[in-house]
Every structure is written in C-alpha cells, then in structure tokens.
Amino acid sequence: MNNPTQNVPVLKEVESREELIYLLSRASELEHGLACVYLYAAYSLKSCLEEGGLTEDQLLMVKTWKRKLASVAVEEMLHLAQVNNMLTAIGGAPNFRRTNFPLPISAFPFGIKLTLEPFSLATIERFVMFELPEEGVLEIDLYIQYSALRDKVIQAQELDLTGLRPRQFKAEPELVERFGTKAFKFQEPYEVDFKTVGEFYNKIASGFRCIPEEILFIGPKEAQANARFVDLGGKLISVMNRASALEAIEMIVEQGEAPTQQHPDCHFQVFDTIRTQLISETEKALENNTVFEPVRKMASNPMTRFYDDTTGGTLILDADTHCAADIFNMSYDTMLQMLLRFFAHTDESEEELELLSRATLRIMTTVIRPLGEALAKMPLGDPKDIALMAGPGFGYNRDINLLPHKDSAWIFFSERLFNLAKEATELAEQKTAPVEVKEASAALQALSELFIRKTAQRQKVEPKSEFTKLEHTPSPEIYPSLNGPYLVKGVNNLLNSKGEALPAEPQMALCRCGGSFNKPFCDGTHARIGFDSRKLPGRTPDRLDEYPAADYKVCDNRGICQHSGFCTDELPEVFRLGKEPFVDQTAASGPRIFQQTKKCPSGALSFSFTDAKLNNEAEAPVNLPTITVSKNGPYRVKGSIKLDADFLQGASTEHYTLCRCGGSKNKPFCDGSHWYNNFTDDKN
C-alpha cells in the first residue's frame, strides 16, 4: 500500500499540540465506537444448526463471518490502545470515552451512521465504507466502483452528500455579527478536511511530521502500555519519537484499508469478502427456493434506559434481559475503568500492571463476549413482537473517569466485580437463562476472588461463601456447554497434576478447546478458534465387551478409554496391548485384576465377582467430588459428579475422564487424542 507517512494529501497540516491531542482523542472515540458496532453485528449471527435457517455448510460460513467480525473488533481495540499511547507520548490524557449509540450521522465526517445494527447487507456495506481506502490506494476503476457504493450507503441514510461539508455551526446571531460567519464555519474546533479514516490518520501523521520532535514528546515513557502487558498479538508499539509514532499510524491504516494483494486480512478486504459471500449465498437461495437465514432477529440500539447523549434507541422491557443487559453494561464500564487506570497508572507494581491488563482482557473475552451472545438470544420484551431479541447495548455511564488514587481504585474494582458476580450468579440460576450467562458468572466469580485477595476487602468479604448461598443446587455437577467450556458447579476440590489445590469457585468454566492461555480455566479462546464440541466420525464404537471367568467377570468398553496405559503397563499379562482379545481374564487372580480395574481413570474397565457378597465387601471407598488436571492430558473426575452427557455402555459414572485438548472424537470424553496432537500444559 502507499505508506501513509509518505503520502502528500491535500489536507491542512497539523501544527499545534492542542490540535493533535484533539484529533487523537477523536480517533480514540472512533476506534472505540467501531469495535462496539462490529461486535454487535457479530453477536447477531447464529452459532448452531438448532437456531434454524442454515445448512451445515452455510453455518460454517456464517461462523467464519462471526469470527472475522470479532477479530476485526479486537484489532480496533489494538488501535484504541495505540492511539492512547500516542496521546500519552505527547502529553495528553488517555481517552476511553465515547458517545452512546446511536450516534448522529454528523458525529464523524464520513457521512455514515455509527449505530448498533444486526448483520445485514446494508450493515456490511456500511462496514466496507468505514474502512474504504483513501483515493490513490486502490486502482482507479476499483475506487470509482466503491465510491459509487459509498454514495449508495449514504443515500440510503437519506443524507445529501453536499450536506457533509461544510457543517454549519448554529451560532448565536450576536456572535456571528461580532466575529463573522467564517469563524463558525465548522462544528469542530479545528478544520475537518478529511472524508475517510485513512485521510483522518494522514492528518494526524502530519502533526507528528510537522511539530518539532524535540518539543512534541513530553509524556512519561514509562506510562505507556506495551506488548508485555497488553495481549493484542504483540503488535502494540511504544511511541517514543517521530519514527515510532509514524510506524504506529502506518500499522493502524494498513490493518484497516491496505490493498488486498499486500494485506489480505485488512478490515476492508475482510468486510468486502463477507459482503460478496452474503450476496452470492442469498442469490443462490432465491434461485433454489431454499431458506438462508443467518441472522438472529435482534433490535437496533438496545438500551436499558435513555441517555442524554443519544437521539433514541430501543428500550429493553423484559425483566431478566434487562438484568443481563445491566450486568453487561457494568462489566463493560468496569473494563474501561481498568483500562483508564492501566494507561494512566502511577503507583502500580509490574505485577499489578500485568493483573490489570490481563483482567481487562478476561472481562472482554469471558464476560462481555458470552453475555453479548446471551443477550442476542434473550427477548427484548416488546409486546408487539415477542420474537424480537435484545442484544448488548454497550451502555456508557458518566462515571468513566480516571480513578486517580491506587488503593481506592483497586477497592472500587473489587467491589464492582463482587457485586457483578453476585448479580450474574443469581441470574444464572434462572431456568430461562442462556448457558452463556453461566459462563460469564463463573468468570466474574474468579475475577472477583482475584481482586478481593489483592485489597483490604479480603478482611471483610468471603466471596465463595456468598456465591454458595446463591446456588439453588448444592450437588456437584458438570455441564459441557455447546462449543464452549465445561461449566462446573459445587466442586471444591480442583487439583493440578502434582496434587496441588487450584483456586476453585462455586461456579467455574474450565477450558476444553485446548487453547486457553489461562488453563485449566476458560479464557474465551473457543469462540476465536471456532471450537466444535460435537462427536466426530471415526471414533471407537460404543461396545461393551465382557470377559467372564469362573468367579468373576471383567468388562471393557474401548469407546471410552483414554489410553492412560495404567492397565497395560502394570498388568500386561491380562491387558494385552495390540492383541486380541484385549483382556485375558485368566492370566491373574480375580482380586489382582479387581485392584487394577479400580485404577482405570476413564471408567472403561469394570469388574464384578459372581458372588454378590464379595462385590459388596470390595466396594471402593466413597471419593470426594474431585477434578484433577492431569499432566498434558484430560480432566480426571471422581466422586460421582453429575455429568450432563450420555455415558457409554458399562462406563462408570463415579469416575471418568473429560477431554481438554479439544481433539477427542468422543467429546466430552477423552479418547487419547492428546497423545497424537501433542497437547501440552506446562503450568499444570
């Protein structure tokens, strides 16, 4: 692409620190708003065949769209962080504020409204236009083609192109008389002479080129965020001088609007590919008279209350949905507060800075993401259209300001997370709550516990006991969520492979896609990689083989074996690796075989004496409900923890093994795939 730091656009150059701070603050608001808009469209796309309207091939395509939209939103958050580093570098303050949705068309000079809309052709066309390269980047015929599409998008909003510039300021008549009309030509405090995001950043780049380097960079270098703490693909640049500032701007523009041949994953190309695929699939469905309905029926601009900075929206009237939306908004609010504290930190240690950074990411991926998905499936409460779902409104409160004092800021975070966790736990207990609410409540419980331990609140609050009081079902259970984590309730014993206790909450979300960076706990990676929790073809069949002897019987079901090797390693004369039949039940005494079958972690092996009395005497002691994270292998579960899954023939329900590498063909049970896909977990 043309390097934005080398272009010579017909723009008025930025010559003052004040104007550069203003433009960077506006860029921050834009990147922030775009991230929310893209995420909302992603949440509106269906995730499973049970939602209807899609074939399996179409679902795969739609899930790819969903992941692409979410990944672009993450890159917008990278741009937001990068812009704030630039602000800090030149003496400005971090800015995570923005206006509530829907924004008026005049909010930015691109002529395209910034609103929360479900996915549609019109929505994806707007996204393409948000990322449209500036003139000179695309070949001329392509630029003309997309300029026509831009005109179509703008005209669909009933906005005359000629009304965009200049935007007249309605000044008081006496001020016009005193200073003249030219003084009030633009609403902005500085001249707005750009019409694309690329031109916007070119104008910002002119400030870094024109203002003398030795006087521009006055911000403390140590206050900036860096890739050590902000986990955004390692692409965050520390801005120390003119060269690094221009490099950061080039990265932002390249990710957004670079030409296809040089950056096939740029936002412009991602959105345009989705647009053409949507048109093609829609036309194919019409030709074949088939159904293609990839989008959930969601409201536009949902909100829990009207805000004074919006032009209107759709109120959420259903009580449970309203509660979920409030939890979503306050979790989002808390994340922004943490980001502000992180970017303007004063007294935090390296460990505390890392915790703040990781916590904001965890809120984004394990709280906001599942709650957004849940709200996309929860009713708006519109009596005129009961099928209309709500969606997340990204409601923005007035309290998004820097908390300047470290101790009080951290207590604020721990209190907020604790209250959110209580609200989410209560909501998760409602029978109608989507499973994603349970996922979010588990994450909030863990975050709450983490922050309370770091503050004086640990002497006042015992989170585990508070959350346990809210549980309606105290008996331990595991629910393997569809394409998501294991949702665990009421299990107090969580151990690593060394037998050491891991932090166990009343509700937990344990990773089963194999990709979490916070193993054994879920960090939302399953959504990013498109984890599929279905059983797969080619798995070992569900078949119970019986091997009777005179006084006892050995049973085996290869379909549930995790291939730990305890039986073949320790009693090879009975359990014969690579031989048929697998079991020689006469090669050892009954009691010896019985003792060995008790060691089978998967429950595939079982043993029974012919004499029922001997069976009663030989019954194993009752195990406490325990989940052990085995070394580079599955979860080993014992203690009759209820599992919401169909057990195979003859399999034990007292102890079993669950896949955590993501590769088992017999999910949720382990089938030994971790051996073949080289699954590792160095921490556990």
Side-chain angles (χ1 to χ4, degrees):
M1 65 170 286
N2 292 332
N3 187 331
T5 64
Q6 296 174 345
N7 283 347
V8 187
V10 186
L11 300 171
K12 184 179 182 298
E13 292 182 334
V14 176
E15 298 177 342
S16 71
R17 184 189 314 278
E18 288 74 16
E19 183 175 7
L20 188 54
I21 287 176
Y22 170 76
L23 290 172
L24 285 169
S25 298
R26 294 290 283 142
S28 177
E29 293 166 16
L30 175 64
E31 301 290 2
H32 191 169
L34 288 175
C36 297
V37 167
Y38 296 159
L39 283 174
Y40 191 84
Y43 293 141
S44 73
L45 288 169
K46 295 176 180 177
S47 297
C48 61
L49 289 174
E50 287 74 11
E51 294 187 76
L54 296 169
T55 65
E56 190 155 343
D57 288 342
Q58 288 171 339
L59 177 63
L60 288 174
M61 179 176 64
V62 170
K63 287 173 73 173
T64 300
W65 295 351
K66 195 180 190 79
R67 291 197 303 275
K68 290 285 188 182
L69 287 167
S71 68
V72 169
V74 170
E75 287 194 341
E76 297 296 350
M77 294 301 291
L78 166 63
H79 299 173
L80 176 61
Q82 190 64 74
V83 167
N84 277 282
N85 265 1
M86 288 189 272
L87 273 167
T88 300
I90 65 171
N95 178 34
F96 290 95
R97 297 185 66 84
R98 62 161 180 78
T99 308
N100 274 293
F101 297 106
L103 274 64
I105 293 172
S106 60
F108 292 95
F110 315 129
I112 305 168
K113 60 184 178 181
L114 214 63
T115 62
L116 301 178
E117 304 285 347
F119 183 92
S120 67
L121 179 58
T123 300
I124 199 65
E125 285 177 342
R126 288 214 314 274
F127 293 177
V128 173
M129 292 304 103
F130 280 134
E131 308 289 351
L132 178 66
E134 61 185 303
E135 191 170 357
V137 174
L138 291 176
E139 295 179 3
I140 187 63
D141 56 337
L142 282 176
Y143 186 78
I144 292 172
Q145 174 185 331
Y146 286 106
S147 293
L149 180 59
R150 180 176 182 273
D151 291 347
K152 172 195 166 186
V153 168
I154 291 175
Q155 288 164 5
Q157 300 171 138
E158 299 179 353
L159 178 72
D160 186 354
L161 269 172
T162 60
L164 284 176
R165 285 177 306 278
R167 292 183 288 155
Q168 297 296 334
F169 184 83
K170 294 182 180 179
E172 294 296 324
E174 57 268 26
L175 293 178
V176 174
E177 182 179 352
R178 180 172 182 179
F179 297 108
T181 57
K182 289 186 178 180
F184 303 99
K185 185 177 181 181
F186 298 100
Q187 291 184 33
E188 309 286 343
Y190 302 100
E191 185 170 348
V192 178
D193 51 357
F194 47 88
K195 62 180 181 181
T196 69
V197 176
E199 288 179 352
F200 187 12
Y201 277 105
N202 266 324
K203 190 172 182 74
I204 290 171
S206 75
F208 285 104
R209 287 196 307 268
C210 295
I211 301 172
E213 188 174 18
E214 62 273 15
I215 68 170
L216 180 59
F217 295 93
I218 62 174
K221 294 180 174 60
E222 65 276 8
Q224 291 188 45
N226 61 58
R228 284 190 303 129
F229 295 135
V230 180
D231 191 4
L232 292 166
K235 297 176 182 177
L236 186 66
I237 297 169
S238 296
V239 179
M240 303 301 176
N241 49 34
R242 176 178 293 157
S244 55
L246 295 177
E247 180 188 358
I249 293 171
E250 182 176 356
M251 179 270 290
I252 292 172
V253 176
E254 183 175 281
Q255 285 188 343
E257 58 169 52
T260 307
Q261 64 270 23
Q262 293 186 16
H263 198 325
D265 294 324
C266 74
H267 303 176
F268 170 72
Q269 179 60 23
V270 166
F271 292 150
D272 202 44
T273 298
I274 293 174
R275 179 181 71 92
T276 55
Q277 289 176 344
L278 173 62
I279 292 171
S280 174
E281 199 63 34
T282 302
E283 290 176 348
K284 192 187 302 181
L286 287 172
E287 290 172 5
N288 298 331
N289 196 27
T290 56
V291 174
F292 175 57
E293 296 174 348
V295 185
R296 295 161 175 162
K297 188 177 181 182
M298 278 168 53
S300 298
N301 304 302
M303 53 181 58
T304 54
R305 58 191 59 81
F306 286 119
Y307 301 97
D308 58 6
D309 59 351
T310 62
T311 56
T314 310
L315 280 176
I316 297 172
L317 302 176
D318 181 87
D320 286 347
T321 309
H322 197 281
C323 178
D326 269 337
I327 295 170
F328 179 96
N329 289 344
M330 295 309 292
S331 298
Y332 169 64
D333 177 295
T334 306
M335 181 190 75
L336 295 177
Q337 293 273 20
M338 286 182 175
L339 278 172
L340 267 174
R341 180 70 200 173
F342 175 78
F343 273 86
H345 61 270
T346 52
D347 305 318
E348 274 80 5
S349 65
E350 293 279 298
E351 180 188 359
E352 288 168 334
L353 285 175
E354 183 173 7
L355 176 55
L356 276 179
S357 170
R358 300 296 182 233
T360 58
L361 182 66
R362 284 175 65 178
I363 292 174
M364 188 188 309
T365 59
T366 66
V367 179
I368 290 175
R369 178 199 52 76
L371 282 176
E373 288 287 340
L375 284 163
K377 297 184 283 187
M378 297 180 77
L380 181 72
D382 184 351
K384 298 178 182 177
D385 190 351
I386 59 174
L388 188 61
M389 301 295 110
F394 294 92
Y396 191 93
N397 296 312
R398 290 179 177 272
D399 67 345
I400 308 297
N401 297 300
L402 174 66
L403 300 173
H405 308 296
K406 176 190 166 185
D407 289 345
S408 57
W410 281 70
I411 290 173
F412 176 93
F413 297 148
S414 65
E415 285 179 345
R416 176 68 68 79
L417 289 169
F418 177 62
N419 289 328
L420 284 169
K422 286 201 298 183
E423 291 289 331
T425 300
E426 285 192 34
L427 182 62
E429 288 296 305
Q430 303 298 320
K431 292 183 179 179
T432 56
V435 68
E436 291 88 353
V437 175
K438 302 181 190 335
E439 186 180 337
S441 70
L444 283 167
Q445 284 189 14
L447 284 164
S448 170
E449 175 85 17
L450 184 61
F451 272 79
I452 284 174
R453 289 203 309 267
K454 295 289 184 180
T455 68
Q457 294 297 100
R458 65 183 178 274
Q459 300 170 4
K460 304 175 183 178
V461 179
E462 176 51 52
K464 286 186 177 64
S465 62
E466 292 292 329
F467 299 143
T468 302
K469 291 176 187 176
L470 301 172
E471 300 287 347
H472 293 173
T473 309
S475 59
E477 60 181 47
I478 300 174
Y479 177 82
S481 61
L482 179 65
N483 302 330
Y486 297 114
L487 300 175
V488 182
K489 286 177 58 176
V491 177
N492 298 320
N493 298 313
L494 179 66
L495 308 176
N496 65 14
S497 60
K498 301 174 185 177
E500 300 165 336
L502 296 173
E505 306 299 332
Q507 291 184 5
M508 296 182 287
L510 300 182
C511 172
R512 68 165 171 152
C513 72
S516 173
F517 290 96
N518 190 36
K519 297 181 185 72
F521 304 104
C522 170
D523 70 352
T525 297
H526 59 275
R528 178 174 57 81
I529 65 176
F531 170 67
D532 190 336
S533 61
R534 293 177 298 177
K535 293 183 185 294
L536 300 176
R539 63 185 178 276
T540 303
D542 175 12
R543 188 188 71 214
L544 185 66
D545 294 323
E546 299 182 349
Y547 302 93
D551 300 322
Y552 57 86
K553 179 172 65 174
V554 181
C555 294
D556 173 49
N557 190 329
R558 296 286 83 198
I560 201 163
C561 178
Q562 75 136 99
H563 304 285
S564 62
F566 290 173
C567 56
T568 54
D569 290 346
E570 298 179 14
L571 198 59
E573 62 271 28
V574 174
F575 303 102
R576 308 182 307 166
L577 184 64
K579 295 181 180 180
E580 290 294 337
F582 171 60
V583 177
D584 181 353
Q585 70 275 30
T586 62
S589 67
R592 176 68 184 91
I593 298 174
F594 169 68
Q595 291 300 321
Q596 193 63 47
T597 57
K598 286 199 300 182
K599 296 182 180 181
C600 174
S602 66
L605 293 175
S606 59
F607 180 98
S608 60
F609 288 103
T610 304
D611 186 342
K613 182 180 178 181
L614 291 175
N615 283 327
N616 293 333
E617 293 174 356
E619 278 187 2
V622 177
N623 290 309
L624 287 174
T626 303
I627 299 175
T628 300
V629 183
S630 67
K631 184 65 176 176
N632 301 330
Y635 297 108
R636 290 178 177 159
V637 182
K638 63 182 181 181
S640 300
I641 299 175
K642 180 183 177 183
L643 177 68
D644 192 347
D646 293 327
F647 282 83
L648 277 62
Q649 297 181 63
S652 169
T653 57
E654 195 280 335
H655 58 277
Y656 48 87
T657 56
L658 298 176
C659 171
R660 73 181 183 106
C661 74
S664 173
K665 294 180 179 179
N666 188 35
K667 300 182 189 74
F669 301 104
C670 172
D671 69 354
S673 291
H674 54 278
W675 292 107
Y676 306 103
N677 59 23
N678 297 316
F679 173 71
T680 57
D681 176 8
D682 296 334
K683 290 197 306 180
N684 296 291

